[in-house]
Amino acid sequence: MGKPESPVGMVELAGWSGQKHRGFLERGLQLLLLLVTGALVALGLLHAAHSRGKQLTLFPSRLCFSKEEKTIVKRKPRAIPQPKEMDDICTSPGCVIAAARILQNMDPSREPCDDFYQYACGGWLRRHVIPETNSRYSVFDILRDELEVILKGVLENSTTRDRPAVQKAKMLYRSCMNERMIEKRDSQPLLNILDVMGGWPVTVEKWNEGVGPRWELEQQLAVMNTQFNRRVVIDLFIWNDDQNSSRHIIYIDQPTLGMPSREYYFNEGSNRKVREAYLQFMMSVATMLRADMNLPENSYLVQEDMAQVLELETQLANATAPQEERHDVTTLYHRMSLEDLQNKFGLKGFNWTLFIQSVLSSVKIKLLPDEEVVVYGIPYLQNLEDIIDVYSARTMQNYLVWRLVLDRISSLSQRFKDARANYRKVLYGTTVEEVRWRECVSYVNSNMESAVGSLYIREAFPGDSKDAVRELIDKVRAVFVETLDELGWMDEVSKKKAQEKAMNIREQIGYPDYILEERNKHLDEEYSNLNFSEDKYFENGLQNLKAGAQRSLKKLRETVDQNLWIIGAAVVNAFYSPNRNQIVFPAGILQPPFFSKEQPQALNFGGIGMVIGHEITHGFDDNGRNFDKNGNMLDWWSNFSAQHFRKQSECMIHQYGNYSWDLADNQNVNGFSTLGENIADNGGVRQAYKAYLKWMAEGGKDQQLPGLELSYDQLFFINYAQARPSPRPAATPLVRPQVWCGSYRPEFAIQSIKTDVHSPLKYRRLPLRRGHPHAPARALPRLVAMGEPHCVAHAHPPAEARCPFCARSWSSGRGQHRVRPAPGAQPRHPGRVAPPGALRLQPRALRPSPGDLFNCLHPLSKASLSAVQASDLS
Ligand SMILES: *[C@@H]1O[C@H](CO)[C@@H](O)[C@H](O)[C@H]1NC(C)=O
Ligand SMILES: *[C@@H]1O[C@H](CO)[C@@H](O)[C@H](O)[C@H]1NC(C)=O
Ligand SMILES: *[C@@H]1O[C@H](CO)[C@@H](O)[C@H](O)[C@H]1NC(C)=O
Ligand SMILES: *[C@@H]1O[C@H](CO)[C@@H](O)[C@H](O)[C@H]1NC(C)=O
Ligand SMILES: *[C@@H]1O[C@H](CO)[C@@H](O)[C@H](O)[C@H]1NC(C)=O
Ligand SMILES: *[C@@H]1O[C@H](CO)[C@@H](O)[C@H](O)[C@H]1NC(C)=O
Ligand SMILES: *[C@@H]1O[C@H](CO)[C@@H](O)[C@H](O)[C@H]1NC(C)=O
Ligand SMILES: [Zn+2]
């Protein structure tokens, strides 16, 4: 929902008292803003009258504003003080580094009006090739790589004075690096656990006669869940009760699958190849394990069994609801008694009490007589009814154990990873495994985030950053709250509630203090039941799986700890939690280009300011808006406001749904599943920009960067454009939707266009999965998007209206941009516009009419929507 009004509106209405000199606003900004037009919010606001553009004089050319562009507005734009020639140029090391970074990433030879993407990111694109180990590469990924280098240093530092938590983290790391031992032990540790599970039928002689008759699905699912943290066939987890944020409750949901999303199981085209590689991978592993168990080769049996497994999983995939049908948490949520659950979903005799009790007994919890569960996966359970008894116990067991084996491959010797290589290649496009130390660093960090976080903070996080970030949060939040007042599509009562909610958002910045407190035992206690061994990486991993499952299950009878950190400190990401109404900015993202006390505020507002706005806006997106200021799912919207919200969302969904991504086989972006991020992106940049202007207007003094002839606003937008993680295609202002400073492999493009809304797997560790409305990943800092405000387009612009960015006339290009070669500017590398893998999105069905694209200037009517963008962070 939004927030700010349209750009135009913003200028005029804004309550801050800037001086109003005519003609100052930056063009660039405007432009962007316009383009960006905020999420829904924007919609309302625009007063047509005002709208039209502000006048931006004085813009120093670079970001495009030609003189002909004297726009229209009578209003007095707020002034942005332009730097005086030299005197406020900052030449501290932090500023010099920032200037160099920006310069290297951009391509100043490009005309920003013709191709802002190349202008902002051309330098970066020319200098980077996606590494063989990566499926995507961007400024954001580079930050993560650098963070891993720091973690490597601290984890490899052997001092003798470590506290137990840190000793364990280092031990875990060493065991992971102990490849000699891992090779030597080969498949033995895996074979040991197959026994615990009752064997993998495909590798057991006469399984049907031996184990088969005693086999119980309920018990098997419980063992998978509690011992190995694999929630297969039926997902059961403990989480905050959506309707009562102070307690936990049992959730039942549809499960994840072996491949990353359901489409791989039945769609044609490149999906078929992935599916074939997946089956081949399964068969290779089964064949290898049979040999290790001294069973005769039997390719017929292996083929037969594994084909059945894939068939079963295909049925399960078909039974799951696609993500776009799951984004409304209010319709997903069904609380019921255990008895109701059993009556409604009998599943041919599946004993729910037995299953749930078996899971809970692993943490010594007994079911209450009136125990309630929340079912998210109603359609899935209904469909499961028809599948559950179609396959034999053997096939079911083959499948369950396959999911365990699949998960454990990474901890085995090299030949198992080799067996997986082709599948990964087809799936992600990567041809080389990540170097070992990176895998290990990332594994240890995601499993022991508090211990690793304490090392990271000591090494790399300036303590005084916390306060500076808190101030930025306050500023962006204040703008959000003020902007709500200006929304025309929300009534007073809803506005008031929204403001209260925004004011009640609690923030977590950097890291939890206790991890640095030597005397505070809490850190060591978190890991007290872990006892790692340097020679047993595989078993150490099992301990982590079990501990992870138990940590989460144990919460059922505990009240919610509002101070708990939902993510570690050494993470380059940011989050919003609807159940807690909380935003989190781990130390890992509080670094340049996002934030530094040593860089101009323009960069901080365009960087972390934007991320802050994005996360706050998540509290009001299609998911967040269902929760009140205390994190309870409760409808606080008036009919009037809710109706407008829906209408606007619909437009945005269509807009994005009409973008296809050529790199992803021309599949369309999923407008439903990206909606929340699109709303957050649009809102985030607008709030941050507005907050920056306000800060300036209130006397804030910023500094220029050396060697760059960019105004403050241009700095804001350049940093925003370069830093923004864009996991997925985003619509850019000019031309086509693009990824900012980053490239994708096509295989990964195909995957990410389906699975979106997610943070990289290595940072996902809560018991949540794709599509789970609480998944922290939902809150990725997907920054902005300067989108084509298609949704605004219903109001067609007068033919003479011009986009402030470039002074183009709408009528002149039939929707294409007239490509106007910049005078004298030859591309430096003709023919090399973008590296292979660079994203290219093209609106497909949506043939832009002059009014559709770039209608940044239009007056938005109340009913019309704001712009949007698509994009996503991995
Ligand atoms: C290892 O850690 C100790 C204690 O934190 C520190 O004094 C030392 O400089 C570190 N060594 C290296 C090589 O980083
Ligand atoms: C929420 O749960 C807590 C703890 O179980 C309970 O005390 C409280 O009454 C519940 N609140 C509501 C509104 O049900
Ligand atoms: C998926 O399920 C539907 C019925 O629910 C069925 O008609 C369809 O054939 C199934 N598709 C596959 C690939 O199994
Ligand atoms: C289900 O399992 C529970 C717990 O083991 C048992 O008490 C109950 O009798 C079982 N119900 C049925 C219908 O078998
Ligand atoms: C940890 O494991 C080792 C053997 O692997 C054992 O000797 C030791 O007692 C265990 N320590 C604890 C605290 O359980
Ligand atoms: C709001 O909408 C609901 C259903 O959409 C309707 O039942 C209710 O009467 C409406 N309330 C008001 C005050 O219009
Ligand atoms: C494309 O846009 C049109 C009109 O805006 C809409 O009806 C259609 O559903 C959209 N397509 C997708 C896939 O969203
Ligand atoms: Zn987000």
Side-chain angles (χ1 to χ4, degrees), residues 259-279 310 423 426-427 664-665 667 747 750-751 753-754:
M259 289 191 278
S261 79
R262 66 196 294 282
E263 291 78 13
Y264 287 110
Y265 291 86
F266 24 80
N267 288 6
E268 288 308 316
S270 57
N271 292 304
R272 169 180 286 281
K273 271 197 241 142
V274 174
R275 183 149 83 227
E276 285 164 4
Y278 179 63
L279 179 58
L310 182 56
Y423 168 62
V426 179
L427 188 59
D665 270 359
Q667 293 181 73
E747 293 86 347
I750 288 170
Q751 185 188 320
I753 204 164
K754 286 174 203 149

Side-chain angles (χ1 to χ4, degrees), residues 161-232:
R161 294 169 305 139
D162 289 329
R163 60 190 299 169
V166 170
Q167 283 171 17
K168 288 177 186 179
K170 289 181 177 177
M171 172 75 88
L172 183 60
Y173 177 75
R174 284 197 303 274
S175 73
C176 178
M177 293 298 290
N178 194 352
E179 292 180 273
R180 193 185 50 82
M181 187 55 79
I182 291 169
E183 288 304 316
K184 185 165 159 211
R185 300 183 72 211
D186 199 24
S187 61
Q188 194 52 50
L190 176 63
L191 299 180
N192 295 344
I193 59 165
L194 296 188
D195 286 345
V196 176
M197 276 298 298
W200 196 14
V202 69
T203 65
V204 177
E205 208 86 272
K206 302 209 178 5
W207 186 90
N208 297 3
E209 293 79 10
V211 183
R214 289 176 284 119
W215 188 88
E216 276 183 316
L217 182 60
E218 293 89 340
Q219 294 289 5
Q220 293 302 95
L221 296 185
V223 173
M224 287 287 283
N225 187 315
T226 59
Q227 303 302 300
F228 304 112
N229 211 1
R230 295 298 95 188
R231 303 190 303 273
V232 183

Side-chain angles (χ1 to χ4, degrees), residues 653-667:
I653 290 165
H654 287 159
Q655 182 191 354
Y656 283 95
N658 273 292
Y659 289 129
S660 70
W661 190 3
D662 59 357
L663 207 55
D665 270 359
N666 287 313
Q667 293 181 73

Side-chain angles (χ1 to χ4, degrees), residues 481 484-485 494-504:
V481 168
L484 281 168
D485 266 338
S494 303
K495 276 183 192 173
K496 186 117 201 315
K497 293 258 168 63
Q499 285 166 336
E500 280 171 19
K501 178 170 180 180
M503 294 311 294
N504 213 41

Side-chain angles (χ1 to χ4, degrees), residues 283-303:
M283 295 188 328
S284 310
V285 175
T287 304
M288 288 158 70
L289 291 180
R290 279 183 67 88
D292 293 356
M293 297 176 91
N294 297 316
L295 291 176
E297 208 180 317
N298 187 341
S299 57
Y300 174 79
L301 174 87
V302 167
Q303 154 91 41

Side-chain angles (χ1 to χ4, degrees), residues 287-360:
T287 304
M288 288 158 70
L289 291 180
R290 279 183 67 88
D292 293 356
M293 297 176 91
N294 297 316
L295 291 176
E297 208 180 317
N298 187 341
S299 57
Y300 174 79
L301 174 87
V302 167
Q303 154 91 41
E304 190 83 339
D305 269 12
M306 295 300 100
Q308 287 275 306
V309 164
L310 182 56
E311 203 185 301
L312 162 62
E313 196 173 43
T314 302
Q315 297 288 317
L316 296 174
N318 193 27
T320 61
Q323 259 198 54
E324 61 266 28
E325 287 167 23
R326 289 168 54 84
H327 70 276
D328 184 352
V329 62
T330 62
T331 59
L332 275 187
Y333 184 101
H334 295 276
R335 186 152 41 85
M336 60 183 77
S337 66
L338 198 50
E339 200 183 338
D340 277 353
L341 179 69
Q342 186 70 58
N343 292 338
K344 288 196 177 119
F345 308 103
L347 301 179
K348 311 273 164 56
F350 184 82
N351 186 335
W352 283 98
T353 306
L354 176 60
F355 169 51
I356 299 176
Q357 184 58 72
S358 306
V359 171
L360 295 179

